[in-house]
Structures are given as structure tokens and as C-alpha cells.
Amino acid sequence: DSGVTQTPKHLITATGQRVTLRCSPRSGDLSVYWYQQSLDQGLQFLIQYYNGEERAKGNILERFSAQQFPDLHSELNLSSLELGDSALYFCASSVAGLAVNEQFFGPGTRLTVL
Amino acid sequence: AQSVSQHNHHVILSEAASLELGCNYSYGGTVNLFWYVQYPGQHLQLLLKYFSGDPLVKGIKGFEAEFIKSKFSFNLRKPSVQWSDTAEYFCAVRLFNAGNMLTFGGGTRLMVKP
């Protein structure tokens, strides 16, 4: 158990819908990262938040957005869902923002878009 | 853009065989290198990391990796695999001074036959 929690574990929805994935970082960690793992794209970095502010952005679609709340939990919002958005979404956390430090990964949320 | 290549997508070994998984990256600057493992149904866990110093890095569970700068490689090795090593292995790179986000390779699925 890494200490990073993600809910829900599984999510099944239809195209065009909107979903929210939730992540709680390890106690004391200020940074949260979101990654998408799909069969065709592999494991890709989406976005990072540090202490409530966006710190880095990767291959995140405009239909996707995220935020980090004052209690440091983070939510990833996916809207206008397409079949290709079906993937495993991982959240990771680390102590710091820019300095290199180990990221601890959560168990992931498996999203299936039908 | 930088990329990370893992040329072996699937590897099947018998117990006690030696393992070497390849990882190459395409970036000429300073990098930090990581190997993560994902056991079936579990989250990503850090096996080992290289930041600087001795290019031969030892990790958990008997794994080691060697950083060869001239070859842009960071291959993972284990002298004698066990059935419990069956998992997917991911190489990841972090660009120095580019935040803490990771770029992952496509992963290598290892199956160890008892």
C-alpha cells in the first residue's frame, strides 16, 4: 500500500458523459500527478499540481481538467467522453514539486467508456 | 520531444533464468532514471532509481540496473528470476530541471514459468 488512495476503483459510463476521478495523496505530500495508461498510448503524464497550483502539463486533452483542493486531494474531470478515453488513470504523489523526489502511485481508476 | 524505448514487449523465462530488460532514452541532457514494477492488479512500485554517482544501481528484490551514458541506456537485470517476478516493468526518465514529471517507456510484460 503506497498511501495514495483513488476512488472509484472502476467506472463505466457512456460516450458524451462527464466523470470525476478522485485522488488523496500520501500524508505530507504536496504534489499530485495524474497519468493515463492505455493500450495504445502506454503510460502518459497528464498534469501535476503542487500545493493547489498547476505545476506542469503533459499530454492532457482540453476536455480534461484537474484541480487540487486546500486539503491537497485532487480531482480529474473528464468530459465529453469518447471510446478512446477508456484507460487506467493513475494518481501519484510526492513531497515536493520541482526537485526530484520519488513518486508514489495509487491503485488507479479503470474507466470504461461504452 | 524526449522518448523512452523498451524494446522487449513480452519476455517469458523459466525460474532461475537471468533477466535483462532493455531501456533506452532519447535526450542528451542530464536525466534521472527509474524502473517501476506493476504486479498484476496492483499499483506501480519503485524498483530502483539513478540520480548520480555509481552507474550500477541496486534496488529491491535483487534487481539492479546499469546506467551507460554513452549508450543512453538503463537496462534492468536480475541474475535469477522467481515466479513472483511475473509483472510488467516500466522504465521512466525525468529531465533534470524540468519538473518532476516522468516519461515512461511502453513497458515489458515478464512471465516467469515455475
Side-chain angles (χ1 to χ4, degrees), chain B residues 9-22:
Chain B
H9 298 294
H10 291 90
V11 173
I12 302 174
L13 294 173
S14 298
E15 273 194 318
S18 64
L19 170 72
E20 180 159 3
L21 302 182

Side-chain angles (χ1 to χ4, degrees), chain A residues 14-46:
Chain A
T15 54
Q17 295 299 304
R18 173 189 168 96
V19 297
T20 297
L21 313 184
R22 183 189 168 103
C23 167
S24 292
R26 292 188 322 153
S27 176
D29 284 359
L30 300 178
S31 265
V32 169
Y33 311 77
W34 286 98
Y35 292 86
Q36 179 196 57
Q37 185 180 31
S38 62
L39 284 174
D40 54 344
Q41 297 290 331
L43 193 56
Q44 287 196 99
F45 167 73
L46 295 178

Side-chain angles (χ1 to χ4, degrees), chain A residues 1-2 33 35 37 39 42-43 45 48 56-58 88 90 94 96-103 105-107, chain B residues 32 34 36 38 41-47 49 51 88 90 94 96-106 109:
Chain A
D1 185 358
S2 65
Y33 311 77
Y35 292 86
Q37 185 180 31
L39 284 174
L43 193 56
F45 167 73
Q48 176 197 1
K57 220 168 185 176
L88 193 52
F90 285 109
S94 70
L98 286 180
V100 61
N101 52 100
E102 182 178 345
Q103 294 182 29
F105 284 78
Chain B
N32 304 125
F34 306 80
Y36 280 84
Q38 187 177 25
Q42 294 190 27
H43 59 276
L44 284 158
Q45 300 173 47
L46 183 67
L47 268 181
K49 60 192 176 192
F51 290 169
E88 188 158 16
F90 293 91
R94 173 193 173 269
F96 187 72
N97 279 341
N100 200 34
M101 62 187 192
L102 299 173
T103 299
F104 283 88
R109 286 187 185 273

Side-chain angles (χ1 to χ4, degrees), chain A residues 102-103 105, chain B residues 19 21 33-39 44-50 57-65 74 76-78 84-85 87-91 110:
Chain A
E102 182 178 345
Q103 294 182 29
F105 284 78
Chain B
L19 170 72
L21 302 182
L33 298 155
F34 306 80
W35 274 98
Y36 280 84
V37 61
Q38 187 177 25
Y39 297 104
L44 284 158
Q45 300 173 47
L46 183 67
L47 268 181
L48 47 78
K49 60 192 176 192
Y50 172 80
V57 179
K58 293 195 184 298
I60 61 171
K61 304 186 181 187
F63 286 91
E64 66 178 31
F74 189 56
L76 180 72
R77 299 194 293 246
K78 186 170 183 178
S84 58
D85 293 324
E88 188 158 16
Y89 293 81
F90 293 91
C91 179
L110 170 67

